[in-house]
Each structure stands twice: as structure tokens, then as C-alpha cells.
Amino acid sequence: MSVEADPRVLEGLEHWRTLPVTQQPAWPDREALERVTGRLAGLPPLVFAGESDALRGQLAAAGRGEAFLLQGGDCAETFADATADNIRGKIMTVLQMAVVLTYGASLPVIKMGRMAGQYAKPRSSDSETRDGVTLPAFRGDIINGFEFTPEARTPDPQRLLDAYHTSASTLNLIRAFTTGGFASLLRVHEWNRGFTANPAYARYEEIAAEIDRAIRFMAACGADFDALRTVDFYSSHEGLLLDYERPLTRIDSRTGLPYDCSAHFLWIGERTRQLDGAHVDYFSRVHNPIGIKLGPTSTADDALRLIDKLNPSAEPGRITFITRMGAGKIRDLLPSLVEKVTADGRPVTWVCDPMHGNGITSASGYKTRRFSDVMDEVAGFFEVHRALGTVPGGLHIELTGDDVTEVLGGAEEIDDAGLARRYETLVDPRLNHQQSLELAFQVVELLRRS
Ligand code: PEP
Ligand code: MN
């Protein structure tokens, strides 16, 4: 039997429209927008409510120290880059990191892509000026084009449909790759052997050899590697563009409750987490697990009020706090936040985003980050939780499977001049494939020291 939604629930899903809303485009043609959102509302959901429920249970386990979240992908996906090679590269990277982390933490790793929907970007300025010409800022492929022309930069609702279809084809490939044997533990392990064979990564050979022995031990014990051919891989993006999230919100026929079926997990960004704002209201009404970014200006009181709004019933796994303090600040700012939220007693899962507090501009003008700062923030995250006896529940990383040169450092020592070689991101700099694996191996080293 299918359960209908209470009419008050449906009304509630429109309440955000009456509240202050930040970071939305100025659509030039409201009628065109409404045609598109009407069409989106009639298309199939991209994910199922039951899958989001399963993820909520796993995130609750991560909050208790019984699992660990690895969330990774581009700062912003683009339509042009939604190719089989790119998608496969990102999945491989996340899976390879996950094997290393599973071994290092002796915990199941929850694998989640910043993928299949990460098309909208918050911007610090609504416009951009070049050579005296001012145009709307690029807000991601779901809204406008990157090219600096009036045509490209005008928000175009047709892009919402393009985003939906690109998400659908990305998810289709993710599901095929992660259930068709491609993601089997033995294969992923072989890829990692290829990585550590490179002399630049000799430092990690010892850990890689240990993993190899562990896998051979499992095989000798008769482990069912066939059962390890399939992995769960969840999708996530910033729930920024409410004109997209609303039509993809569907009523779960089992319970009559709304779920945002554009992704398994949505997070509220640092710029849109106002307590009385539209985003917090909207996501308080859908039943997915929800992330909230907490930057260096967040207070414990902010965090507690966010829990009041988003998780009044204290459901485990519902809220993930993704802290992004910066390497220089995390050891000072995180302890009191974690302490006060822990004292409150309602469960949350703590995840570290070591990317967004560590942006710099290189001498040659690239927006970049230092690999060493990223690692230092991760180290600070583990230190703080260890000192408090609380649980470091996971990592949130901007990465790609390609050999780009966007982040400084790593064993292959990308320097300022090296950034120009292959700097491709339209927004924030990403760890490349090798840097991502290095991060995973260094996390294992950190866990050993603790
Ligand atoms: C992001 O995750 O790309 C982002 C913009 O992060 P934040 O909201 O933490 O600044
Ligand atoms: Mn980013």
C-alpha cells in the first residue's frame, strides 16, 4: 500500500520561498523556469529513499566510531567532463583510497562521491569584471556557462534539465562500475600496487606490503572474494539550488515522508547555513542524511541551533558536521565546538574537510592549496578528537582521478611553476590521483602514531 503525504508536509516544502535565500541566480525568465521545474517534477527520482535510509544508518555508525566516511570528488562537476574516463577515474581514486583507509582504520569505509549532481557553486560575488566588462559570476553548469560572454553567463533554466540527465548518466555508470566486478577488492588492490611501484611513493611500500599480506591471509582463510565484488557507492552534492532540489523531492510511498531524490546525501554550505534562511528550512523538511559545513566563524551555539532545526528528534546519522577550519585554526577552534555539541548529547557525525579552510593564491596567481596544509588539518582533526575522546568520523576531499596540477606539493612536489602544466578546475583546486592516494597512506601513518 502506498502512503500519501500529509497536505501540511507538502505545504511545508514551499515554506523556503517565503524566507531570505542566498546564493540563488536571478532567472531572467520565470515562466521558462516554471516549465522546466514542472518537467523535472515528472521525471523519475535519481536515488531511492531506502538507499538514503541505509546511508543514514552507516553515517550513524561512523558517528559511533564503527565506520569511516570517505567523501570525494570535484569542487564542481561540469557537463563536458561527465565522460566515462573521468567518472571511472574518480571512482577508482575513491575506491583505492578506501581500501587503504579500511586497512588503516580497521573499519568499514563508507564511499561517497561529490558526484552526479555537484553542479552549483556558491560565489563570494554575484558578478565578475574583466577589462571593464561586468557579467554575472559563473555559478556552475546547472545555472550558467563559464565562458565570459553575456550569452553564457545569463542563467538558463534548461541547464537544470541538463544537470538532471548528466547526473542520471553519471549515476548509471557509477552503479555499473560498482556492481559489475570492476570495484572488486582484488582489482582495487592491484591498482594500489601500481601506485606504490612508483619510486616517488617508496615511503608507502611497507603499508602496501602489509595490505597485500592481509589480503593473502584473507584468501588463505577462504574469504569469499565474490562477495567483495560489489560496493555501495553513494552520491552527494551541496544542496544549493533550491529550484532544482524542490522538484526532485519526492514522497516515499512507504512512509509518506519527503526525500530529496537528487542525491543520497545533501550538504548545506558555509555560505547558506543561516538559521532563519531558506536552505536550513528546506533541508529540515526532507529525510535524507544532511551535512552542514562549519567554518572558522561557527560557534557552538550555531551548531546547537542547527541541530534544533535539522534534527530535533536526535536521530543518529541525520546530521554530519563537516568542519573546515583551516590548518592554522583547527587545533584552537574545533575543541570547544566538539566539546559543547558532545555535552548536548544529540548524536552527530564529525567529518573533516581539509580543503576549504586552506585556500591561497600562488605567486603566479593560481587559486591553490598546499598539500602539507591539507595534511596538517587532517592531523589536527584526529588530534582534537583523540584528546577529547570523541570520534573522527570521516574525510571530505576535493579530488579528481586525473593527473592535474592544482594543489602544491605532494611527493612529486608540484611547485608554483608546475601549476600551469595542467590546471583545469573552473573553481577550487583538487588533489590529483597520486596526491589523493598519498593522503590516504599518510592518514594510515597518522592513525599509527595515535
Ligand atoms: C565546497 O564544498 O565546494 C564549498 C564551497 O565549501 P564551503 O561551503 O565549505 O565553503
Ligand atoms: Mn570547493
Side-chain angles (χ1 to χ4, degrees):
M1 201 191 69
S2 141
V3 183
E4 305 267 320
D6 182 323
R8 280 168 307 181
V9 165
L10 295 177
E11 238 170 78
L13 290 173
E14 309 305 332
H15 186 60
W16 65 273
R17 299 182 194 277
T18 67
L19 299 174
V21 60
T22 49
Q23 296 285 346
Q24 307 302 292
W27 299 110
D29 181 350
R30 294 299 302 185
E31 262 174 44
L33 175 69
E34 272 157 38
R35 272 197 305 278
V36 164
T37 54
R39 173 111 179 77
L40 276 175
L43 288 168
L46 291 170
V47 304
F48 292 123
E51 297 170 338
S52 291
D53 288 343
L55 173 62
R56 191 185 319 99
Q58 294 181 23
L59 290 170
R64 293 189 299 267
E66 296 160 15
F68 192 78
L69 171 69
L70 174 62
Q71 185 177 16
D74 291 306
C75 178
E77 294 175 285
T78 63
F79 298 157
D81 281 344
T83 63
D85 281 354
N86 273 315
I87 295 163
R88 187 182 55 227
K90 277 180 277 187
I91 297 172
M92 280 175 72
T93 306
V94 170
L95 294 176
Q96 286 182 262
M97 293 171 77
V99 166
V100 175
L101 293 172
T102 303
Y103 178 75
S106 301
L107 288 174
V109 171
I110 307 160
K111 300 154 213 58
M112 192 191 287
R114 271 178 76 111
M115 287 174 75
Q118 177 54 19
Y119 300 114
K121 293 312 299 172
R123 303 316 304 249
S124 45
S125 172
D126 284 342
S127 60
E128 181 181 349
T129 301
R130 290 189 202 172
D131 302 326
V133 179
T134 299
L135 294 174
F138 172 59
R139 289 187 175 278
D141 268 5
I142 195 170
I143 291 166
N144 57 3
F146 183 70
E147 207 191 335
F148 195 72
T149 62
E151 297 70 36
R153 289 294 174 94
T154 302
D156 176 1
Q158 174 61 34
R159 288 176 169 270
L160 272 62
L161 281 167
D162 295 342
Y164 171 89
H165 290 295
T166 313
S167 296
S169 60
T170 302
L171 264 174
N172 183 52
L173 202 58
I174 290 176
R175 291 191 194 273
F177 276 142
T178 53
T179 57
F182 172 81
S184 80
L185 175 62
L186 292 177
R187 266 183 99 145
V188 176
H189 175 58
E190 273 308 310
W191 301 332
N192 276 353
R193 283 175 22 150
F195 168 76
T196 47
N198 178 338
Y201 305 109
R203 166 177 166 190
Y204 309 118
E205 251 168 35
E206 184 63 30
I207 295 170
E210 286 174 33
I211 299 177
D212 200 53
R213 276 196 295 277
I215 287 178
R216 279 190 275 140
F217 173 74
M218 283 167 70
C221 293
D224 181 2
F225 283 103
D226 268 349
L228 297 170
R229 281 164 53 85
T230 293
V231 299
D232 290 328
F233 197 104
Y234 294 102
S235 67
S236 71
H237 60 261
E238 178 171 351
L240 184 68
L241 182 61
L242 296 176
D243 286 319
Y244 181 74
E245 304 305 336
R246 173 64 193 93
L248 283 170
T249 297
R250 305 300 165 81
I251 303 304
D252 177 12
S253 58
R254 302 167 306 167
T255 58
L257 298 172
Y259 284 73
D260 185 344
C261 295
S262 70
H264 299 108
F265 179 91
L266 287 305
W267 75 87
I268 302 174
E270 171 71 358
R271 291 166 193 77
T272 51
R273 59 176 168 75
Q274 300 80 13
L275 282 168
D276 297 318
H279 289 83
V280 169
D281 182 83
Y282 191 73
F283 289 105
S284 75
R285 296 169 192 274
V286 298
H287 283 255
N288 307 56
I290 300 294
I292 308 162
K293 293 285 200 89
L294 295 178
T297 60
S298 317
T299 64
D301 198 54
D302 292 338
L304 294 174
R305 298 294 79 77
L306 284 163
I307 300 175
D308 292 343
K309 291 238 174 183
L310 287 154
N311 195 19
S313 60
E315 198 183 351
R318 160 72 170 166
I319 290 192
T320 298
F321 279 138
I322 307 169
T323 61
R324 29 87 89 222
M325 301 295 172
K329 294 184 178 156
I330 184 165
R331 291 172 182 84
D332 293 332
L333 298 178
L334 191 59
S336 96
L337 197 61
V338 173
E339 226 164 6
K340 290 181 180 145
V341 170
T342 305
D344 171 82
R346 288 172 291 182
V348 304
T349 303
W350 294 100
V351 166
C352 173
D353 164 359
M355 315 302 293
H356 289 90
N358 294 311
I360 55 168
T361 303
S362 77
S364 62
Y366 283 102
K367 188 174 177 187
T368 185
R369 296 164 173 147
R370 289 190 195 91
F371 184 77
S372 55
D373 290 339
V374 169
M375 281 316 308
D376 190 29
E377 180 153 1
V378 173
F381 175 73
F382 284 111
E383 283 165 30
V384 168
H385 282 287
R386 191 180 336 118
L388 295 172
T390 50
V391 177
L395 296 172
H396 179 114
I397 308 290
E398 285 184 345
L399 58 78
T400 168
D402 290 326
D403 236 355
V404 299
T405 56
E406 299 172 4
V407 170
L408 295 166
E412 292 191 282
E413 293 189 11
I414 297 172
D415 59 10
D416 193 0
L419 291 177
R421 214 164 49 235
R422 201 172 158 194
Y423 189 98
E424 295 178 0
T425 181
L426 301 186
V427 271
D428 291 338
R430 304 158 294 179
L431 299 183
N432 64 24
H433 179 72
Q434 323 283 349
Q435 288 169 328
S436 302
L437 291 176
E438 267 201 274
L439 179 139
F441 277 103
Q442 288 196 19
V443 167
V444 177
E445 292 176 345
L446 282 174
L447 293 172
R448 294 260 153 108
R449 262 180 261 138
S450 61

